Amino acid sequence: MIPVGPPGTKTTKRHRIHPAWWVAAVAFLALLAAAGFRAAPFAAALMDRFGVRQIVALALILVTAGAGASVIMTASWQLLVFWGLLIAAVALVAVPVVWFVLRDHPEDRGVLPYGADPETYIPDERSTGGAAKRAFAGLAFAARHRSFWALAIAFAICGAMTNGLIGIHFIPSAHDHGMPTTTAAGLLAVVGIFDIAGTVFSGWLTDKFDPRFLLLTYYTFRGVGLLLLPWLLSDIVHPSMVLFIVIYGLDWVATVPPTSALCREVFGDRGTIVFGWVFAAHQLGAASRISVLLLASFPAPRGSRTG
């Protein structure tokens, strides 16, 4: 705030930074932290420390609380009541199933991990210590390896391409090319449908092939698709755009299974926590301005809107 004296007098004191900028800076850092980390490394450390069953049950309870709290919001309250109560009901039903059926380790059910050799398998030592300490210890250990930085940088670029570029800018960019927003939103929804199939199929492929080769293939297809996208956008949906949507949907989260497999392969029992930090890099990439700079490099459509 800048103090102002009577008319005709000079201001005696000025703040170098307006308080509004401090508020904006704090809000930006809070949003960056929420979008960037999303507690993935700490969730992995908590699961290692306290077990999968307890953490999943707690997460479902939190989802129930959040969905129930949405009912008290005022905007579009009929829709919020329906979906809020529906999500809360599903989450509550899942809690007892998780608690009584799910176990923290395969040995708790008297079986070996999927794919383990009965003659050579040795159970991992149970985790001890605080979750935050384990999470940062895993980061300190992984940061000394080039493999971690290769995976983290690749996942940061992946986040900038998916969440940061397509997820946010596809609909307005298609609208700038004359496509109705409802049509563009429908295409983005189709990406989500094929994403489910692509992720499941990628998990099967990860068990059969070298995950390094799979990542190379996935990133190549994604890069080629994004290079062609500026010339595919138009005011109508043509076959080449449908082909892009299908391929990009299949490739959307297909990078997760091979990346998590490589983390486990390279970092052993710390692989889960290391993957959490790699995932944090993905979200930081999504929150960065890389995608905005890439979008600015797209050729502008003829007759595009400027305001």
Side-chain angles (χ1 to χ4, degrees), residues 155 206 255-265 271-272 275:
F155 236 41
T206 302
T255 55
V256 170
T259 301
S260 60
L262 283 174
C263 288
R264 188 69 179 181
E265 176 184 327
T272 305
F275 175 73

Side-chain angles (χ1 to χ4, degrees), residues 69-90:
S70 70
V71 174
I72 66 175
M73 298 177 65
T74 57
S76 303
W77 67 270
Q78 297 96 336
L79 187 63
L80 288 171
V81 166
F82 173 76
W83 286 108
L85 293 178
L86 179 62
I87 295 172
V90 172

Side-chain angles (χ1 to χ4, degrees), residues 45-61:
L46 285 168
M47 286 185 179
D48 276 358
R49 175 65 179 86
F50 297 103
V52 176
R53 180 178 56 171
Q54 290 87 337
I55 302 305
V56 172
L58 177 60
L60 288 170
I61 293 173

